[in-house]
Amino acid sequence: MQVHIRKARVIDPQSAYHDKVADLLIEDGVIKNIAGSINAKADTVIEAKGLCVSPGWVDVFADYREPGFEHKETIENGLVTAATGGFTDVLLAPNTQPALSTKSGINYVLGKAKGNTVNLHPIGSATQNTDGKDLAEMMDMRENGAIAFSDGWKPVQNANLMLKALEYVKAFHGTILQIPVDASLSTGGLMNEGIVSTGLGMAGIPNLAETIMIHRDIELLRYTNSRLHITGVSTAEGVSMIRKAKAEGLAITCSVTPYHLALTDVFLTTYDSVYKVSPPLRTEDDRQALITGLKDGTIDCIASHHRPQEWDAKTKEFEYAADGMAVQEIAFNILWHSLNGIISIERLIEAMAIIPRDIFGMETCEIKKGNKAVLTIFTTSGFNTLSLNNIVSASHNDPFIGRKLSGKVLGIINNHKLHLNK
């Protein structure tokens, strides 16, 4: 495979070529040459107005529903969705049936992803079958390829169990990943508790359901001196608490979803269950605090929280509709459309490609001659509109379908393979 990327702006703060416009020649999965101009015959030539190239993007949390829920999404189709969205690496949620609680479960999903353009990194469950009762065999899963540990959509509620999990992973410098939701305060809630929920007459989920969980886990982290990643932070108070914990020197990191950076609870005035997510969409003040947190580095990286749901799971009374959005293939477009002019493309790429690799101990992928090509190719100009005719995900629970969004993902290069979007 020979690929010639022409006149692309390199966005990689690690690289000597950062912010320079250059040609890149990729041969057999390796960056053979980088120069102002390259004369070479290649199998594929990539050029476009406003072309950019960066290290491959990492999605910190996505759910492909296999095994057990293949009618919602499969690993095979999910990885094509990831490639379409510009991701070379995906951390896979453990909430399957059976849950990813054993080395055989880890080996199963890794086997399904073997040979793919996108690297799949399974998150092992912190407790057996994500039931929140007993710790899972995390060491065993780690040795077989689990990258981190979490109960995913069912965050660990028992403080003593969470304490033990944080202590356990210290033996191998592992990371516990937690969605900040206190079930006792959020059960029965349908959306953010506030003016909008009151006006709609819908049961609300208070900010306290997030902040009390973050407070508890920070205290446990301080006690254990372990490593914690909070994914899906959604409140201004939550961001502030994490900022203070970082200043204290605790090993805490966090990620935010594209939709929490783009949407607020006002969108639920339509009673459309496509906007029902967990944690819920919050207020404009919260959204602005999330943007500030991403800009100043308090929020480290991006997690799509890609959660496909079939038509029947979403098209019903709001109370009974399933949570989640399937937005992985347009995550970058949502982010750039919402943040262009507020957050630099350099900071966004840092959050999508560089910092998550450091947090989870992944191989770095500096854009440098002789290095393996792990690249995302995109533009910050132009637009992309996702329609029912071109959607890749098996599920369509995406409120951005039909919306004209900024930027385009052209493709990825990874594992000696090229994926180009049509």
Side-chain angles (χ1 to χ4, degrees):
M1 180 188 72
Q2 277 195 335
V3 180
H4 186 184
I5 303 172
R6 297 189 60 192
K7 304 303 178 190
R9 180 186 172 195
V10 176
I11 303 178
D12 180 5
Q14 312 163 106
S15 174
Y17 297 94
H18 175 57
D19 208 28
K20 295 179 180 178
V21 175
D23 283 15
L24 286 79
L25 183 64
I26 317 299
E27 290 187 5
D28 299 323
V30 174
I31 302 174
K32 191 74 173 179
N33 194 13
I34 307 175
S37 181
I38 297 174
N39 292 317
K41 290 185 178 180
D43 302 315
T44 304
V45 177
I46 301 173
E47 53 186 334
K49 181 181 178 182
L51 189 64
C52 299
V53 62
S54 77
W57 300 343
V58 180
D59 189 346
V60 168
F61 191 89
D63 192 351
Y64 292 155
R65 316 315 299 265
E66 183 182 3
F69 305 101
E70 289 84 352
H71 59 291
K72 299 174 185 286
E73 189 84 285
T74 64
I75 290 172
E76 180 181 5
N77 195 73
L79 292 174
V80 178
T81 303
T84 302
F87 295 99
T88 60
D89 296 81
V90 176
L91 275 63
L92 182 68
N95 305 93
T96 52
Q97 187 59 45
L100 300 184
S101 298
T102 63
K103 67 178 182 181
S104 61
I106 298 298
N107 288 330
Y108 172 80
V109 296
L110 287 174
K112 295 287 288 188
K114 188 175 181 180
N116 203 280
T117 310
V118 177
N119 301 320
L120 190 68
H121 306 275
I123 299 170
S125 68
T127 71
Q128 293 179 21
N129 205 37
T130 66
D131 61 9
K133 295 179 181 178
D134 299 290
L135 288 184
E137 292 292 339
M138 289 184 276
M139 179 74 81
D140 212 14
M141 288 188 281
R142 173 77 171 195
E143 291 175 350
N144 283 272
I147 195 168
F149 299 93
S150 172
D151 277 0
W153 304 115
K154 298 162 65 178
V156 179
Q157 301 297 308
N158 184 289
N160 186 47
L161 201 59
M162 185 65 170
L163 174 68
K164 290 178 179 177
L166 286 166
E167 288 179 331
Y168 190 102
V169 298
K170 288 179 66 179
F172 48 83
H173 306 290
T175 300
I176 295 293
L177 187 150
Q178 178 92 315
I179 296 175
V181 177
D182 183 293
S184 65
L185 291 170
S186 62
T187 299
L190 302 175
M191 62 175 293
N192 178 61
E193 181 182 86
I195 294 173
V196 178
S197 68
T198 301
L200 295 175
M202 286 209 283
I205 300 171
N207 285 8
L208 191 63
E210 173 166 305
T211 57
I212 200 167
M213 181 65 90
I214 292 176
H215 173 76
R216 185 204 75 175
D217 288 348
I218 287 174
E219 290 300 313
L220 295 175
L221 179 65
R222 181 182 291 112
Y223 183 81
T224 59
N225 196 30
S226 188
R227 292 164 56 90
L228 173 68
H229 182 87
I230 295 173
T231 185
V233 61
S234 68
T235 64
E237 297 97 321
V239 174
S240 179
M241 294 166 73
I242 293 167
R243 184 179 288 116
K244 290 175 182 177
K246 284 189 167 194
E248 185 182 331
L250 298 180
I252 184 170
T253 54
C254 66
S255 49
V256 66
T257 76
Y259 52 78
H260 281 109
L261 291 167
L263 305 172
T264 68
D265 57 356
V266 170
F267 283 83
L268 281 95
T269 55
T270 61
Y271 291 97
D272 190 340
S273 63
V274 75
Y275 295 104
K276 186 181 181 184
V277 290
S278 180
L281 299 176
R282 303 288 186 179
T283 68
E284 178 63 15
D285 286 345
D286 291 309
R287 189 180 80 90
Q288 290 300 324
L290 295 175
I291 292 172
T292 300
L294 181 62
K295 188 174 183 178
D296 69 20
T298 300
I299 295 175
D300 299 273
C301 49
I302 303 297
S304 75
H305 281 215
H306 179 73
R307 195 178 190 185
Q309 302 284 7
E310 78 280 18
W311 185 86
D312 286 346
K314 278 290 191 181
T315 310
K316 57 176 64 177
E317 295 92 337
F318 198 97
E319 180 180 357
Y320 302 109
D323 294 335
M325 294 184 187
V327 298
Q328 190 178 55
E329 64 195 279
I330 54 167
F332 169 73
N333 305 103
I334 297 168
L335 291 163
W336 191 236
H337 192 84
S338 304
L339 304 177
N340 185 11
I342 304 171
I343 291 179
S344 69
I345 190 63
E346 291 87 353
R347 171 66 191 118
L348 188 57
I349 295 306
E350 186 180 46
M352 296 182 73
I354 298 171
I355 293 178
R357 295 180 185 279
D358 181 57
I359 292 172
F360 296 102
M362 300 165 63
E363 184 180 358
T364 59
C365 51
E366 177 187 348
I367 297 178
K368 179 181 178 182
K369 293 179 187 178
N371 277 9
K372 184 169 65 174
V374 183
L375 304 172
T376 299
I377 308 158
F378 64 102
T379 72
T380 53
S381 59
F383 297 92
N384 180 39
T385 303
L386 187 67
S387 70
L388 291 176
N389 294 325
N390 65 14
I391 193 169
V392 176
S393 176
S395 295
H396 300 164
N397 52 308
D398 182 345
F400 297 92
I401 291 174
R403 290 182 58 179
K404 188 178 181 181
L405 300 173
S406 303
K408 287 185 178 181
V409 175
L410 277 66
I412 62 170
I413 299 175
N414 189 39
N415 293 330
H416 297 248
K417 292 181 173 66
L418 169 68
H419 170 96
L420 285 180
N421 292 332
K422 297 178 182 178

